Amino acid sequence: MGEMGILLAAATPGAESGSLEWAVFIAQKYAGMFLNATWTTLYVAVIGTIVGFLLGFLVGVINTSQVHPEDFILKRIFSKILRVIVMIYMEIFRDTPMIVQGMIIYYGLRQSNVEIAPVVAGILVTVLNTGAYMGETVRAGINSVDKGQEEGALAMGMSHVGAMIHVILPQAFRNVIPEMGNTFVNNLKMTSVLNVIGVSELFLMAKTAGGSYYKYYESYLVIAAIYLVLCFIFNRLFALLEKKLEGKSDYVLATEYLDNE
Amino acid sequence: MSDAIIKVESLRKSFGDHEVLKKIDFEIKKGEVICIIGSSGSGKSTLLRCINHLETPTEGEILFHDVPIKNTGRALSEYRTKVGMVFQSFNLFNNMTVFDNCMSGTKKVLHLEKEECKSRAITHLKQVGMAPYIHAKPSQLSGGQKQRVAIARALCMNPEVLLFDEPTSALDPEMVGEVLNVMKKLASEGLTMIIVTHEMEFAKNVSTRTIFMDDGYVVEDDIPQNLFTNPKNPRTREFLKRYMES
């Protein structure tokens, strides 16, 4: 264990010690565990949210796509089926609690003899949840882009998909960044419900650590602080991203062309 | 084989029960500058939007070099690359700089070489006097500047016909002139154009043919010298009189 170990193992607080002392003690004693759990929480949230965003964009695009009555019949049928699937998916995941979804997916897969690690199931639940919510956000983001933008693109010969990729989605993306920040921070905190399927994230660690000294209050204070710091950092990062995408407020005149007016 | 670039045949367009265009027939030949005038709600803009199928005609046909245009698919996209459109509300892409706006079509639709896209963009931006602003975003420009960039963007596609949908209606009065001057220049260079406008002086001086529309009909289609000074139809006369008074 070395020097660190000696330092950490020092002084178990006594009966007269206050909560703060206990919290510091638990944080130090289980520092390694908390660190690992923070890492797990982070990557479930990050992977879950990023993949979830992609899914959300797909869902949003499907929900705002238009079919033309003169389009090829197979295209129309395919698009109709796709929309129904998306609708069912969104209803299911927005109308049931994430904690229940976690249980059903994890135990459901186990019962059908699919060996799935709790973390993988946790990420899957986060992805599906995020996708369902982001789908609506993206749809709103797309609809908030002026209709003329698409007309401008169509009028120069772009397809609907081309207009989406080059013109509308980049603008919609900017519009939904605040909501994406919300979703991400929310996911970071919602990973806590994944303790029920045994994902060794922060909540589960706090429960374990608290249990060994019967100091639950103090133990949860520790992870509250960790959540707070994490979310604070990510809120700032999203604010930065938003600012960055806004671009410069001024522009440089291309003076080399000035005399050609 | 006629020498018309675009031919509109028995075009009708309804929105629900409301028939906006009632059997429109006309054609445009190479080098013509057609101005379409008429009061608001007469169907001018709808006609223009039907020509490039932003609105789907309810009945009738748009022919491009005698080939009927379908409502969807590749053929429509290809047709639209040859028939440019300038909108009342500019519709510059807000996520791109002036330069990227002008290269969007050549790059992403025509898939031309990068150098060719750049040189076309610079050429046409110079033509409208907006080359110094290549690094600006649309939100940083005035209305007149935006519209000139929009015209340059349309020109980069080397269209056979350019459609203008009330290009100066959203502009402050002092900016109308700069846009009209650009359009005048294009007309003198022989570009084929269809222009929906409320600028009567412009229509009178620049168009090779003027069409007066009222209540979904083409009421009069004549050279401007006749239409403005000696209109045949009483409705045209009344419209022009109202216009001159105001």
Side-chain angles (χ1 to χ4, degrees):
Chain A
M1 286 240 286
E3 264 177 74
M4 273 292 265
I6 296 163
L7 188 73
L8 289 179
T12 309
E16 73 289 350
S17 301
S19 285
L20 192 64
E21 275 169 80
W22 271 105
V24 171
F25 170 73
I26 286 172
Q28 284 183 338
K29 176 154 174 101
Y30 297 106
M33 275 169 65
F34 279 124
L35 209 66
N36 281 337
T38 305
W39 174 237
T40 306
T41 294
L42 264 178
Y43 84 70
V44 170
V46 169
I47 299 176
T49 310
I50 291 176
V51 181
F53 280 163
L54 294 178
L55 184 64
F57 269 89
L58 192 69
V59 165
V61 168
I62 291 171
N63 274 340
T64 50
S65 66
Q66 304 131 341
V67 277
H68 203 278
E70 291 195 14
D71 275 333
F72 193 44
I73 178 105
L74 273 179
K75 187 180 165 189
R76 277 185 292 156
I77 293 172
F78 180 69
S79 132
K80 182 89 196 163
I81 293 173
L82 214 56
R83 265 167 192 258
V84 171
I85 292 174
V86 162
M87 197 198 73
I88 294 172
Y89 155 63
M90 284 175 77
E91 286 300 329
I92 288 177
F93 279 88
R94 290 195 304 156
D95 301 353
T96 54
M98 185 162 154
I99 193 166
V100 177
Q101 294 163 12
M103 297 295 244
I104 289 175
I105 287 180
Y106 182 62
Y107 290 109
L109 284 174
R110 292 234 142 191
Q111 264 187 29
S112 16
N113 292 319
V114 180
E115 276 302 315
I116 186 165
V119 177
V120 178
I123 291 175
L124 187 64
V125 173
T126 311
V127 166
L128 292 171
N129 230 280
T130 309
Y133 281 99
M134 276 309 285
E136 278 302 272
T137 306
V138 170
R139 190 173 65 86
I142 290 172
N143 287 341
S144 72
V145 175
D146 178 35
K147 196 91 195 70
Q149 295 285 307
E150 184 176 10
E151 286 193 344
L154 293 181
M156 64 164 60
M158 270 191 210
S159 61
H160 172 74
V161 175
M164 269 289 162
I165 293 172
H166 301 304
V167 179
I168 299 167
L169 283 181
Q171 295 181 50
F173 180 73
R174 252 188 58 187
N175 291 346
V176 302
I177 285 194
E179 189 49 36
M180 281 170 72
N182 264 343
T183 306
F184 178 74
V185 163
N186 197 37
N187 279 348
L188 201 67
K189 293 178 291 179
M190 281 307 277
T191 52
S192 56
V193 306
L194 298 173
N195 80 87
V196 295
I197 55 170
V199 179
S200 44
E201 43 64 61
L202 280 169
F203 190 89
L204 191 63
M205 279 310 112
K207 208 156 72 173
T208 314
S212 27
Y213 289 92
Y214 289 104
K215 289 289 175 192
Y216 289 106
Y217 167 58
E218 289 78 2
S219 181
Y220 286 120
L221 269 185
V222 172
I223 63 162
I226 297 175
Y227 280 122
L228 192 89
V229 170
L230 288 182
C231 291
F232 181 83
I233 292 171
F234 279 101
N235 276 333
R236 296 282 104 38
L237 285 179
F238 268 97
L240 258 172
L241 177 67
E242 198 181 336
K243 201 156 183 191
K244 179 109 191 142
L245 284 178
E246 233 168 59
K248 284 171 271 173
S249 60
D250 51 356
Y251 59 91
V252 189
L253 218 54
T255 43
E256 65 266 38
Y257 299 117
L258 265 183
D259 31 5
N260 290 317
E261 285 237 28
Chain B
M1 198 66 187
S2 68
D3 54 351
I5 302 181
I6 292 174
K7 207 169 179 177
V8 175
E9 277 186 356
S10 314
L11 178 72
R12 288 175 190 274
K13 174 70 185 173
S14 307
F15 294 105
D17 291 337
H18 182 54
E19 193 168 43
V20 182
L21 296 177
K22 300 161 182 167
K23 202 171 173 317
I24 304 279
D25 287 277
F26 84 95
E27 54 177 58
I28 179 162
K29 298 191 180 74
K30 192 170 163 46
E32 277 192 297
V33 176
I34 297 184
C35 280
I36 304 178
I37 59 171
S39 46
S40 301
S42 59
K44 322 181 288 291
S45 287
T46 308
L47 170 59
L48 208 66
R49 291 168 61 81
C50 278
I51 290 179
N52 75 349
H53 277 258
L54 280 178
E55 302 291 350
T56 307
T58 311
E59 256 178 63
E61 210 114 52
I62 312 289
L63 293 98
F64 183 66
H65 293 295
D66 293 321
V67 181
I69 298 306
K70 286 218 219 95
N71 281 335
T72 166
R74 268 203 107 77
L76 176 60
S77 288
E78 225 164 88
Y79 162 72
R80 281 171 170 167
T81 64
K82 293 168 191 156
V83 178
M85 177 116 176
V86 173
F87 297 87
Q88 179 178 356
S89 50
F90 329 121
N91 295 352
L92 289 179
F93 304 139
N94 294 327
N95 56 322
M96 300 180 193
T97 61
V98 165
F99 206 17
D100 288 333
N101 260 286
C102 290
M103 294 192 292
S104 54
T106 45
K107 235 192 223 167
K108 273 138 195 163
V109 182
L110 300 180
H111 304 292
L112 302 179
E113 296 270 328
K114 207 173 169 194
E115 286 309 310
E116 171 69 11
C117 301
K118 276 188 184 171
S119 88
R120 279 198 197 183
I122 293 293
T123 305
H124 293 297
L125 281 169
K126 277 182 184 169
Q127 200 178 355
V128 300
M130 284 300 291
Y133 299 88
I134 48 175
H135 304 303
K137 286 279 186 78
S139 59
Q140 296 162 326
L141 302 175
S142 72
Q145 291 176 322
K146 279 187 213 176
Q147 196 59 296
R148 286 189 282 150
V149 172
I151 292 172
R153 179 177 75 176
L155 290 172
C156 285
M157 304 292 283
N158 286 349
E160 288 184 44
V161 184
L162 205 44
L163 312 176
F164 291 81
D165 186 10
E166 302 197 23
T168 57
S169 296
L171 299 178
D172 289 335
E174 69 264 32
M175 287 166 189
V176 171
E178 61 184 81
V179 171
L180 291 183
N181 282 338
V182 166
M183 292 166 62
K184 233 177 255 177
K185 204 164 105 188
L186 294 176
S188 69
E189 286 163 8
L191 182 69
T192 313
M193 306 193 271
I194 305 178
I195 303 161
V196 168
T197 187
H198 289 286
E199 298 292 330
M200 294 304 146
E201 278 305 306
F202 176 84
K204 196 169 168 181
N205 298 329
V206 179
S207 70
T208 57
R209 239 171 80 208
T210 305
I211 290 177
F212 170 65
M213 281 185 70
D214 190 34
D215 193 29
Y217 293 100
V218 168
V219 175
E220 203 156 340
D221 178 351
D222 208 338
I223 56 172
Q225 291 81 348
N226 292 346
L227 192 133
F228 282 98
T229 48
N230 191 15
K232 290 186 200 81
N233 194 295
R235 278 198 279 177
T236 317
R237 222 171 298 144
E238 196 193 326
F239 170 79
L240 288 173
K241 200 178 133 217
R242 246 188 299 134
Y243 231 96
M244 296 311 154
E245 277 166 6
S246 64

